Amino acid sequence: EESLQMWDLNKRLEAYLARVKFLEEENEVLRAEIQSSKSGPAGDSWRAKYEEELRALRDALDVAFRDKCTAELARDNLYEEVQQVRSRCQKEQAAREEAKKQLSLSRKELEEERRAQIWLKERAVQLEKEVGALLEVHEEEKAGLEQEMASFSRSLESLRCAPVALQPVEVEDYSKRLSEIWKGAVETYKAEVAQLEGSLCLAKENLWKAVEDNQQSQLQLQHLEKELAGLKARKEMLEESLARQWQEQRGEVEKFQASENPSGGDGRGAGGAWLAMEALEQEQQSLRGQIARVLEDRQQLMHLKMSLSLEVATYR
């Protein structure tokens, strides 16, 4: 194995020495040519022309390298901006889904409030019927008491006319006690009736307020649904525009890579892409403001729903 390795190394050394010899011969030839060109009258002009061309080529290479670096930087910036726009679109889509969930919850709460309002209306009608029945019973009891008082007064007259063993003082005390009992019962009944009438009026006012608040909530809900539909359509338009801009930028990058002169076309493409990205950024900002306003209106509507729920619970 060592002899084979030595033989391989000898072969390689022989080839290397032959290559060195060949290069030395070529160097001698080139040195002779250079000396002859220097000694000739046209050597200086040829050398100056060669150096000028070499300088122009170096300048062109530097310009191409700078243009390439600028294009790559613009491409990286566009890629980062597109990523940011995509992340913002994802965030806005998540916010839209959250708004849909809140809208469904609000609809459920609205249905519950409608049911509660229907129950309140039925309860108010029932209370009115009960108050009417109480008034009728009150009138009947009042008529019966009046009849009892009339009969009692007639009995007192008969007692006065007839010779009995009761003393006048006892009869007067008995009449005073009866009149006091009657007055207390009447006052108590009047207070109960007034309290029932006041609670009925208060329930009617609260019911009307709840109905008005419900109507306003329905109007706000319809308005928010319209705004949400408009925002959804605007979002779809923005996504289509962003996809179209991305395809155009990708086509321009492919053209730039396939073109022989990368400086001019990429500058125009980068400028157009920059303007398009600025327009998309402005539209994204406006869309974000609209979504923030929608969420704020939704928050106010939720507070209104909570207050209505508390009122309904209080009525129950």
Side-chain angles (χ1 to χ4, degrees):
E1 290 178 357
E2 290 180 355
S3 63
L4 289 174
Q5 290 178 1
M6 291 298 294
W7 181 76
D8 190 13
L9 289 173
N10 288 328
K11 289 290 183 181
R12 290 171 64 185
L13 181 60
E14 184 180 359
Y16 177 73
L17 292 174
R19 181 65 177 169
V20 169
K21 186 177 180 181
F22 177 73
L23 291 174
E24 287 178 352
E25 291 176 358
E26 283 188 351
N27 286 333
E28 292 296 332
V29 174
L30 290 173
R31 190 179 291 110
E33 289 180 357
I34 290 170
Q35 291 295 331
S36 63
S37 64
K38 285 182 179 179
S39 61
D44 296 335
S45 62
W46 180 81
R47 185 175 181 180
K49 184 177 180 181
Y50 174 75
E51 290 179 353
E52 185 178 357
E53 289 180 357
L54 184 60
R55 191 181 300 109
L57 289 173
R58 286 177 179 174
D59 294 337
L61 183 61
D62 292 336
V63 171
F65 183 74
R66 286 196 298 268
D67 292 337
K68 182 181 178 182
C69 292
T70 304
E72 289 178 354
L73 183 61
R75 184 187 63 188
D76 294 337
N77 292 330
L78 286 173
Y79 182 75
E80 290 178 358
E81 290 175 358
V82 169
Q83 292 295 328
Q84 292 177 0
V85 170
R86 284 182 179 177
S87 63
R88 289 174 184 173
C89 290
Q90 291 176 359
K91 290 180 181 178
E92 290 173 358
Q93 187 175 3
R96 185 177 61 185
E97 295 295 332
E98 186 66 23
K100 286 182 180 179
K101 291 180 181 178
Q102 292 180 358
L103 183 61
S104 62
L105 292 174
S106 299
R107 286 178 177 175
K108 291 180 181 178
E109 292 178 357
L110 185 61
E111 291 295 331
E112 291 179 358
E113 289 176 2
R114 287 177 180 173
R115 293 174 183 174
Q117 288 177 1
I118 293 170
W119 181 82
L120 286 174
K121 290 180 180 178
E122 293 177 355
R123 183 62 178 170
V125 173
Q126 186 178 0
L127 288 173
E128 289 178 354
K129 291 180 180 179
E130 290 179 359
V131 169
L134 288 173
L135 290 174
E136 291 178 357
V137 172
H138 172 65
E139 293 295 333
E140 292 177 357
E141 290 180 354
K142 186 177 179 181
L145 289 173
E146 288 179 353
Q147 291 178 1
E148 289 180 359
M149 288 296 294
S151 62
F152 182 71
S153 62
R154 287 195 297 271
S155 64
L156 286 177
E157 290 294 333
S158 62
L159 287 172
R160 287 178 183 175
C161 295
V164 294
L166 292 176
Q167 295 180 0
V169 179
E170 293 178 356
V171 174
E172 290 177 358
D173 292 336
Y174 184 69
S175 63
K176 286 180 181 181
R177 289 177 183 178
L178 285 176
S179 62
E180 289 176 358
I181 292 169
W182 167 249
K183 288 180 181 180
V186 170
E187 293 294 333
T188 304
Y189 188 74
K190 286 182 179 179
E192 291 178 356
V193 171
Q195 186 177 2
L196 288 173
E197 290 178 352
S199 62
L200 181 61
C201 293
L202 184 61
K204 286 182 179 179
E205 291 178 359
N206 291 327
L207 182 61
W208 282 110
K209 288 181 181 179
V211 171
E212 291 177 357
D213 292 337
N214 189 12
Q215 292 177 357
Q216 292 179 0
S217 300
Q218 289 178 358
L219 293 175
Q220 290 180 359
L221 184 62
Q222 292 176 359
H223 182 66
L224 289 174
E225 287 178 352
K226 290 180 181 179
E227 288 185 355
L228 184 61
L231 290 174
K232 190 183 293 182
R234 189 176 182 85
K235 183 69 175 177
E236 292 177 356
M237 291 175 62
L238 286 174
E239 289 178 354
E240 292 177 357
S241 177
L242 181 61
R244 189 167 55 253
Q245 291 291 333
W246 176 249
Q247 291 178 358
E248 291 178 358
Q249 291 301 319
R250 187 169 58 186
E252 290 179 358
V253 170
E254 291 177 356
K255 290 180 181 178
F256 168 74
Q257 291 178 355
S259 178
E260 295 180 356
N261 187 11
S263 60
D266 187 73
R268 291 192 297 270
W274 181 257
L275 293 175
M277 292 305 296
E278 287 183 352
L280 287 174
E281 184 70 23
Q282 292 178 359
E283 290 181 357
Q284 290 291 330
Q285 293 292 334
S286 62
L287 184 61
R288 183 180 296 175
Q290 292 178 3
I291 290 174
R293 288 194 295 272
V294 170
L295 291 176
E296 186 178 358
D297 294 336
R298 179 62 57 191
Q299 191 69 25
Q300 293 179 0
L301 185 60
M302 289 296 293
H303 287 300
L304 182 61
K305 298 295 184 185
M306 290 175 66
S307 63
L308 287 175
S309 299
L310 291 173
E311 289 182 0
V312 169
T314 306
Y315 298 156
R316 287 179 180 175

